[in-house]
Amino acid sequence: MYLRDEVAISYVAGAILLSFPLLGVVWGTWGFFWTVLILLAVFLVGLRKGLLIASALTLIGFIVPLVSIGLPALSQVSFVPLAGLLGVFGWQRWPVRVTFFWSAALASILGVIPALLFAGQGIDPKSVTEIINSMVQQYQASGLLAVMQQQGITEMQLRQLMQEGIQFYLLILPGFVALSALLEYAFAFYFFKRWLNPKERIPFTHWRLPWYAVWGAVLGIAFYLLGDQYSWMTLRALGINLMVIYGAVTLILGIAVYSYLLQSPKIPRFLKWILIVASLVYFFFSVSSIILFGLFDLVFNFRRLPEES
């Protein structure tokens, strides 16, 4: 790449940081790719111009829509790109696993803030009733309600199940929003890492987080048990959402461990086929086992991968 190309890209990245937050609110284009583009701009400016300049441009870009539009902009802006600043800071000082873990954790927290505000407000009873009425009408139109009534499920019981389903959805909504923010950040981080150092690609079978990442899962279980024991709904909800997040993360890590074992020459081929067939036959048990593999690999390092320095 020519020097003038690098300079041009740096200017474009700086323009993205200054203008995209406001344009995203005005045009209503905030989403996965919008957030990823801003994150890539944060990484690019941070590594070429320095953390201070990247922080200044990013903060100015996020302040502009808040000043020009006001508080309503908070419900449309994604704060996930701000975690890219921690990524830039860690890239120059920490190992890749450590940098990714802490910056991705910050991205999840920043991404879930709007969802926490929404979940805290809840849905007013009138809106819940309208949603349930609409769903019951769909069941009636499709004939499913008549089938369920033949099986002994009354309309009142169906409405109660829908009510509980909506409440459970609100309960776990922050966890899925955090996973969405984590996915956005992980995609931008991986893409930029590949673009920056294409020869230093980490194979999927070697993906791993720092060992102390396991404490998040431990806290999730502890929060859930304490909240359930003492009827602390906030603590219980925090525990459930942490377990949802770690369930998805450790599933990916578990698949990496499982793939590593299947590629190992020390395991006979017929045993590998048995493992594959058993995984397909006992799918749900296999998924649970893979999640546990990913969780305990954080501590025991089944693959004996060297720690980064």
Side-chain angles (χ1 to χ4, degrees), residues 18-41:
L18 290 174
S19 61
F20 268 42
L22 177 61
L23 294 177
V25 175
V26 174
W27 294 345
T29 52
W30 272 102
F32 179 88
F33 290 106
W34 205 258
T35 303
V36 167
L37 284 174
I38 299 177
L39 269 170
L40 292 175

Side-chain angles (χ1 to χ4, degrees), residues 73-144:
L74 288 174
S75 61
Q76 303 178 50
V77 171
S78 171
F79 295 100
V80 173
L82 295 176
L85 298 174
L86 181 60
V88 173
F89 176 84
W91 237 321
Q92 300 169 348
R93 296 166 178 82
W94 303 333
V96 175
R97 292 170 187 165
V98 175
T99 300
F100 175 76
F101 172 72
W102 288 112
S103 55
L106 179 60
S108 300
I109 295 172
L110 293 174
V112 82
I113 289 176
L116 289 177
L117 297 176
F118 173 74
Q121 295 175 353
I123 302 179
D124 61 279
K126 182 179 179 181
S127 300
V128 173
T129 302
E130 292 177 354
I131 294 173
I132 293 176
N133 289 337
S134 176
M135 295 175 66
V136 170
Q137 291 175 2
Q138 293 178 5
Y139 273 62
Q140 290 174 340
S142 62
L144 289 175

Side-chain angles (χ1 to χ4, degrees), residues 45-60:
V45 174
L47 291 182
R48 290 187 176 175
K49 299 296 183 180
L51 181 60
L52 183 61
I53 294 178
S55 301
L57 295 178
T58 304
L59 291 177
I60 292 173

Side-chain angles (χ1 to χ4, degrees), residues 168-287:
F168 184 72
Y169 166 76
L170 290 176
L171 180 67
I172 64 174
L173 176 63
F176 284 101
V177 174
L179 283 175
S180 176
L182 177 60
L183 178 62
E184 292 171 347
Y185 185 83
F187 180 85
F189 188 94
Y190 181 77
F191 179 84
F192 190 79
K193 188 75 170 59
R194 287 292 309 275
W195 180 53
L196 191 66
N197 296 307
K199 296 182 179 180
E200 295 183 7
R201 184 181 69 88
I202 300 176
F204 173 68
T205 55
H206 286 65
W207 285 12
R208 191 167 180 262
L209 292 177
W211 70 268
Y212 47 78
V214 73
W215 283 107
V218 174
L219 288 176
I221 297 172
F223 288 159
Y224 172 77
L225 294 177
L226 287 174
D228 190 61
Q229 177 69 28
Y230 297 102
S231 299
W232 297 339
M233 293 304 299
T234 302
L235 197 62
R236 180 173 176 269
L238 178 59
I240 291 175
N241 283 282
L242 278 174
M243 287 191 290
V244 168
I245 296 170
Y246 266 85
V249 172
T250 54
L251 176 62
I252 295 175
L253 296 177
I255 294 174
V257 176
Y258 190 62
S259 301
Y260 181 88
L261 294 176
L262 290 179
Q263 293 180 9
S264 175
K266 298 179 180 180
I267 300 178
R269 181 172 297 181
F270 77 91
L271 184 56
K272 294 179 181 178
W273 280 107
I274 292 176
L275 290 174
I276 294 173
V277 173
S279 299
L280 296 175
V281 174
Y282 303 101
F283 180 75
F284 293 104
F285 174 77
S286 299
V287 171

